[in-house]
């Protein structure tokens, strides 16, 4: 079975987001194995730059050499559902590298973490709260896998 990695800074706390993430992760796992890694946020950092640097170090510590790192970033490429499905197909067909979707902390990514990105992807032009971004990513990954499997979930 193919594998997708998901790396997130910090933990989800709001009950609605915890439930939504659980729901979509379980749904996604019908199609692909999901490895989820949570890295410690740097709330103790005094300023946003230091916070990004600390979180970037934490991220770099969990990214493997065979990960195809897709950083979620407002400046990245925005795919429609069918476009994301096509990219997922391409990424999953590469036996040497697993797609690894990364969502940073509230101040984004450090320059060091950005250098590790193979691709940058956007969920759209909106600024989303961290917890909502996770839910949207998981739902879109599930939708993309549903499209690839010919499952009726997606009907546009």
């Amino acid at each position: 079975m193919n594998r997708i990695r998901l790396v997130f800074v910090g933990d989800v706390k709001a009950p609605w987001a915890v439930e939504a993430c659980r729901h979509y992760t379980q749904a996604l796992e019908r199609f692909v194995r999901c490895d989820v890694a949570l890295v410690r946020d740097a709330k103790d950092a005094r300023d946003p730059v230091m916070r990004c640097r600390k979180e970037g170090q934490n991220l770099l510590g969990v990214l493997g050499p065979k990960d195809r790192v897709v950083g979620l970033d407002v400046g990245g490429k925005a795919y429609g559902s069918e476009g994301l499905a096509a990219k997922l197909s391409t990424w999953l067909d590469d036996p040497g590298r697993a797609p690894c979707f990364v969502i940073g902390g509230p101040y984004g990514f450090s320059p060091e973490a950005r250098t590790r990105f193979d691709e940058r992807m956007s969920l759209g032009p909106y600024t989303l709260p961290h917890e909502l971004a996770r839910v949207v990513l998981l739902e879109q990954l599930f939708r993309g896998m549903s499209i690839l499997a010919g499952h009726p979930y997606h009907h546009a």
Side-chain angles (χ1 to χ4, degrees):
M1 178 179 258
N2 285 326
R3 165 177 87 105
I4 289 177
R5 289 199 69 216
L6 302 158
V7 180
F8 304 130
V9 171
D11 203 1
V12 173
K13 293 177 181 60
W16 66 266
V18 170
E19 178 58 25
C21 287
R22 184 196 61 73
H23 170 78
Y24 285 114
T25 300
Q26 284 180 342
L28 183 57
E29 286 185 327
R30 285 185 249 161
F31 302 110
V32 64
R33 190 174 94 218
C34 295
D35 297 333
V36 180
L38 300 177
V39 299
R40 200 167 151 248
D41 59 25
K43 288 181 184 174
D44 57 337
R46 296 198 181 271
D47 66 63
V49 172
M50 285 306 298
R51 184 170 180 165
C52 279
R53 287 199 190 280
K54 283 186 173 184
E55 291 170 351
Q57 290 170 349
N58 294 342
L59 284 171
L60 291 171
V62 301
L63 297 175
K66 293 186 176 187
D67 288 332
R68 176 182 306 282
V69 181
V70 181
L72 276 284
D73 182 72
V74 72
K77 178 154 176 58
Y79 297 98
S81 297
E82 291 88 356
L84 179 57
K87 285 303 272 187
L88 280 170
S89 178
T90 301
W91 293 333
L92 291 169
D93 281 345
D94 183 350
R97 301 183 76 196
C100 177
F101 296 88
V102 181
I103 295 180
Y107 296 103
F109 297 102
S110 68
E112 297 81 10
R114 285 178 184 279
T115 63
R116 184 60 181 83
F117 294 172
D118 294 294
E119 312 234 2
R120 292 184 328 146
M121 184 176 103
S122 173
L123 295 175
Y126 314 106
T127 299
L128 298 175
H130 188 75
E131 294 178 328
L132 185 56
R134 283 193 206 184
V135 173
V136 171
L137 173 63
L138 290 167
E139 191 280 335
Q140 285 299 297
L141 291 173
F142 171 64
R143 184 175 297 274
M145 293 304 296
S146 296
I147 291 168
L148 293 176
H151 188 277
Y153 178 75
H154 178 74
H155 42 78

